Amino acid sequence: MQRRHERLLHFAVVGVLLVPLVGAAAGGLLDRLGANPVEQLTHVTGEWALRCLLLTLAVTPAKRLLGWPGLLRYRRSFGLLAYTYAVAHFSVYLVFDLGFDLGFLLEDVAERPYITVGFAAFLGMTPLAVTSTRSWQRRLGRRWQSLHRLSYVVGVLAIVHFWWLVKADELGPAVHAAALGLLLLARRLPARSGR
Amino acid sequence: MPIHRPRPILSREITDEGLYLDRRRFLQGAAGAAAGLALSGCFGAEEVSASSGAPAPAQLVDVPRGPAEFQTDESPTSYADATTYNNFYEFGTGKTDPAARAGSLRPKPWSVAIEGEVGRPGSVPLEELLRPHTLEERVYRLRCVEAWSMVIPWIGIPLVDVLKRFEPTSKAKFVAFETLVDPEQMPGQRRGILDWPYREGLRIDEATHPLVLLAVGMYGRELPNQNGAPLRLVVPWKYGFKSIKSIVKIRLQESQPQTTWSQENAREYGFFANVNPEVSHPRWSQARERRIGDLRKRPTLYLNGYADEVGSLYRGMDPARLF
């Protein structure tokens, strides 16, 4: 019974985190995203990619604080959600901003630092998403953990990407940066004894 | 520069308000009430302010069209988009903040201080500032530094006509403008995001070019608060941030004025801020723009397509330095 409840809860949490994506897609189809729907889609998917990534990084410290090993299952879900949002974010940019023009993409990546770091974050997430399965976890053994520490680097790149594109109001990036800073500090927490 | 004035065309001959009916309302009808209801929880608030939040400003009737060579025949951005997607940090930094929060601005009564190198300085009530002039409509492209653009039917008077009345002296080399500062009316000013008041400026030859408009209305109505009521500048060949809103002070002076965005970041925003697809913003490209209402981007034109009119102002200057 307990397991079933846990599964339902897990399912519900993932469902809730998909609401912004489904809402944005539906809003786009119904043309209810305001005057600049492409910008709105880009912002929603980008912000939720970052938030899901921060949730992913929060799992291990939360597990240590709360001592509930069941939490660990959420880490993969949050990570894959972050990647889903990142794919959506990149796709909106590729389709509507670049019109599938790879020349524009190369130019942007080469010449616009905020796009360079954003693209690097996206590339960095890709092997993590691919190797998120249990079989890859087994196959890579100890190296899996080293590889997945890359998620912290991705987090930093995503924050820099966000920070470098705002004009004057830095509150949004600052709040997310503070959250990432706290999560990095939390890594230093000692594992809770006896669990 | 001789300005040919063709037969004035009344605005009602051209701009049928029904044509501005926003495509969203149209689509909503098509998409059906059920889908609309299901989404209203998430997106409802924005729509309310778009369509029915603030009462529409008073109509300005029988405004004739300005000179034909200053008009674009591109179709205007929908009224709903032009009044709900705004950069006006005095009301918040989000694009929909001004539409949602500008109700606290009191555009009447309003007066404007004319200062500095003029023969007749003083504080002038807005009605008096406008009285000797005839309002006209001008359909201009508007290009934001953020790489989006609109087409707006403005109503106003050429700035040059107003400046002349106050008799600029020979020392008047620049014109400086200031927006109202009042955190009660402009809640965004409670945060020091920019160094209030918002300030802008033009070189005197730019300011006296007949393209430059002091606008009091758009789409056949008075300016909505979020669009810079009751008096704003419109300089169509420069990035939108030059077109300062809710003006309370016009100062003629000998030195180049400090302007808000170049003070905020001189490397990214210069004094001239001329639209130029060749000169990228340090962080993003200016080569293309998204016309609001379009999904794809289009190429940006040098001086926003007004090079024939104003290109000569910059003869002998390096366009790359006029960002």
Side-chain angles (χ1 to χ4, degrees):
Chain A
M1 271 338 261
Q2 181 65 26
R3 285 202 55 124
R4 191 160 163 242
H5 281 136
E6 280 186 22
R7 260 213 310 277
L8 273 176
L9 179 64
H10 191 155
F11 204 70
V13 168
V14 170
V16 165
L17 288 170
L18 280 170
V19 166
L21 185 66
V22 174
L29 289 173
L30 295 171
D31 200 3
R32 299 199 55 161
L33 294 183
N36 196 343
V38 175
E39 180 187 70
Q40 186 66 17
L41 283 175
T42 307
H43 287 177
V44 168
T45 52
E47 281 170 15
W48 282 96
L50 178 54
R51 283 173 199 155
C52 289
L53 184 65
L54 293 175
L55 279 175
T56 315
L57 299 179
V59 168
T60 303
K63 191 190 65 156
R64 285 190 194 158
L65 280 175
L66 303 173
W68 177 33
L71 257 178
L72 206 55
R73 252 170 298 170
Y74 285 82
R75 197 169 61 180
R76 177 189 295 135
S77 306
F78 290 160
L80 287 173
L81 279 165
Y83 191 63
T84 305
Y85 276 104
V87 169
H89 184 63
F90 180 73
S91 304
V92 170
Y93 162 70
L94 186 68
V95 174
F96 296 112
D97 285 321
L98 302 179
F100 285 110
D101 189 320
L102 294 185
F104 282 142
L105 174 65
L106 288 178
E107 188 188 312
D108 264 359
V109 170
E111 290 180 16
R112 324 260 169 248
Y114 88 92
I115 292 180
T116 315
V117 294
F119 192 64
F122 178 57
L123 289 185
M125 289 174 94
T126 304
L128 305 187
V130 169
T131 61
S132 63
T133 61
R134 217 172 283 264
S135 70
W136 268 104
Q137 211 165 350
R138 265 196 304 271
R139 203 177 322 169
L140 291 175
R142 208 174 271 270
R143 281 171 302 161
W144 188 90
Q145 199 145 27
S146 324
L147 176 66
H148 280 252
R149 289 217 178 97
L150 192 57
S151 52
Y152 288 93
V153 179
V154 169
V156 172
L157 291 173
I159 298 275
V160 171
H161 170 67
F162 190 7
W163 208 302
W164 277 353
L165 65 85
V166 299
K167 263 167 75 191
D169 188 355
E170 293 170 342
L171 186 63
V175 166
H176 289 85
L180 180 66
L182 281 177
L183 292 173
L184 285 169
L185 277 180
R187 279 182 61 83
R188 321 211 98 197
L189 284 177
R192 202 158 145 155
S193 56
R195 302 257 177 178
Chain B
M1 183 180 311
I3 307 162
H4 167 66
R5 301 218 177 228
R7 176 187 81 87
I9 305 167
L10 298 181
S11 67
R12 66 183 139 84
E13 292 179 68
I14 300 155
T15 49
D16 178 356
E17 217 180 311
L19 291 178
Y20 298 131
L21 239 190
D22 135 43
R23 73 194 137 86
R24 272 203 299 290
R25 246 173 290 166
F26 179 79
L27 275 164
Q28 273 165 35
L37 272 177
L39 275 169
S40 60
C42 322
F43 301 99
E46 200 177 297
E47 284 303 307
V48 169
S49 64
S51 45
S52 62
Q59 279 193 306
L60 297 166
V61 290
D62 293 351
V63 178
R65 276 224 155 178
E69 72 269 29
F70 292 164
Q71 312 284 349
T72 171
D73 54 8
E74 293 163 276
S75 50
T77 302
S78 81
Y79 181 79
D81 284 350
T83 54
T84 55
Y85 189 78
N86 306 103
N87 276 329
F88 199 173
Y89 283 12
E90 281 79 349
F91 299 103
T93 55
K95 290 286 185 293
T96 55
D97 289 346
R101 298 169 72 190
S104 50
L105 177 69
R106 297 186 298 273
K108 284 174 192 169
W110 194 269
S111 54
V112 181
I114 314 279
E115 299 180 350
E117 298 293 339
V118 285
R120 302 170 50 228
S123 177
V124 188
L126 183 60
E127 302 74 41
E128 238 170 82
L129 188 77
L130 301 174
R131 192 169 295 132
H133 305 281
T134 309
L135 294 179
E136 57 181 84
E137 184 178 65
R138 304 236 188 134
V139 185
Y140 282 164
R141 289 177 290 275
L142 169 79
R143 171 61 155 82
C144 178
V145 76
E146 297 166 356
W148 54 265
S149 62
M150 295 184 179
V151 174
I152 311 273
W154 299 107
I155 290 171
I157 49 186
L159 175 64
V160 58
D161 295 351
V162 177
L163 292 180
K164 269 186 198 154
R165 272 169 56 208
F166 295 90
E167 296 162 11
T169 72
S170 60
K171 284 188 183 165
K173 302 282 199 309
F174 292 91
V175 187
F177 303 86
E178 277 183 22
T179 297
L180 175 71
V181 185
D182 183 354
E184 295 264 305
Q185 295 187 62
M186 298 181 144
Q189 289 176 336
R190 287 175 203 152
R191 282 178 67 198
I193 291 176
L194 297 172
D195 180 23
W196 316 114
Y198 193 92
R199 279 155 294 127
E200 259 309 332
L202 296 169
R203 217 168 55 188
I204 193 75
D205 59 337
E206 299 177 314
T208 54
H209 190 281
L211 262 183
V212 179
L213 211 59
L214 264 182
V216 295
M218 57 192 239
Y219 296 85
R221 297 178 179 276
E222 291 180 354
L223 283 174
N225 289 356
Q226 64 267 34
N227 293 83
L231 183 74
R232 66 169 292 168
L233 191 67
V234 179
V235 192
W237 71 91
K238 293 174 180 283
Y239 292 119
F241 67 84
K242 294 293 289 183
S243 293
I244 183 170
K245 303 184 181 87
S246 304
I247 297 168
V248 293
K249 190 188 283 187
I250 301 177
R251 183 183 173 81
L252 288 92
Q253 57 189 61
E254 195 165 15
S255 58
Q256 179 174 309
Q258 179 67 271
T259 57
T260 297
W261 278 103
S262 62
Q263 179 187 331
E264 170 79 16
N265 190 336
R267 208 172 62 86
E268 299 191 346
Y269 311 100
F271 174 78
F272 285 96
N274 286 347
V275 175
N276 189 345
E278 307 281 317
V279 178
S280 291
H281 183 277
R283 288 180 284 160
W284 56 82
S285 168
Q286 296 292 23
R288 298 183 307 139
E289 66 198 52
R290 175 170 292 117
R291 177 67 50 82
I292 295 302
D294 292 353
L295 292 179
R296 295 293 190 83
K297 291 192 166 184
R298 64 175 69 202
T300 287
L301 305 173
Y302 179 56
L303 296 174
N304 202 22
Y306 298 98
D308 287 349
E309 286 81 11
V310 295
S312 60
L313 294 176
Y314 308 104
R315 197 161 287 148
M317 299 179 75
D318 176 7
R321 296 189 53 83
L322 301 176
F323 62 84

